[in-house]
Amino acid sequence: MMRTFKEWKAWYESHAEPADPIEGASLYFEPAHGFFYYKVFPGGVLYIDHFATDDYQYLFRKARERARCLGCREVTTQTFHPAKAYARLSKAHLDLKYSTRGANGKWYWAFTEVLNDVEGNRT
């Protein structure tokens, strides 16, 4: 389904939380699949911030492509959704050292996927 960015953002915010990106984040958007904000951190880490889609696998592939194009070695994100379900869906590893309680009081699980490490990324 084609949606404007404003429609995707409203959909996300009605199901999750305000989609306010971290400072310096860029936007990846496709009307047919949704959006995510991302920022590259030192050491080649692409951090995904707010992810709205009706096809998680498709959009996460796009995040991996973006990371590779930017010379990143891993993709990291956080979620307040159940960790077990997110691990199954993303195939990324739970990363407890970056899991934390947000300013809003919610617990955020961190997940990391090392790019080009097929065996190491299996959960």
Side-chain angles (χ1 to χ4, degrees):
M1 173 191 325
M2 301 288 271
R3 294 180 182 164
T4 65
F5 174 72
K6 185 176 179 179
E7 290 169 327
W8 273 111
K9 186 176 180 191
W11 179 86
Y12 174 86
E13 290 178 338
S14 71
H15 289 87
E17 62 187 358
D20 300 324
I22 59 174
E23 186 176 330
S26 298
L27 173 67
Y28 180 88
F29 170 64
E30 288 189 26
H33 295 290
F35 75 91
F36 59 89
Y37 292 106
Y38 65 94
K39 183 174 181 176
V40 177
F41 283 97
V45 176
L46 184 115
Y47 176 72
I48 298 171
D49 185 29
H50 304 294
F51 195 96
T53 185
D54 59 356
D55 185 345
Y56 181 86
Q57 297 300 328
Y58 174 84
L59 208 57
F60 205 78
R61 273 194 312 275
K62 292 298 182 180
R64 287 184 196 106
E65 288 172 12
R66 177 105 303 251
R68 285 184 182 101
C69 287
L70 294 169
C72 294
R73 61 179 179 75
E74 68 184 43
V75 177
T76 297
T77 190
Q78 293 177 315
T79 184
F80 60 82
H81 296 292
K84 193 176 200 179
Y86 194 85
R88 246 190 339 264
L89 190 61
S90 70
K91 305 296 185 222
H93 285 286
L94 179 60
D95 195 343
L96 291 176
K97 69 181 176 184
Y98 296 119
S99 298
T100 188
R101 189 160 309 282
N104 59 7
K106 293 180 183 179
W107 182 258
Y108 288 83
W109 298 103
F111 287 87
T112 298
E113 178 180 351
V114 178
L115 299 174
N116 302 321
D117 185 7
V118 176
E119 291 300 318
N121 285 323
R122 293 198 176 147
T123 54

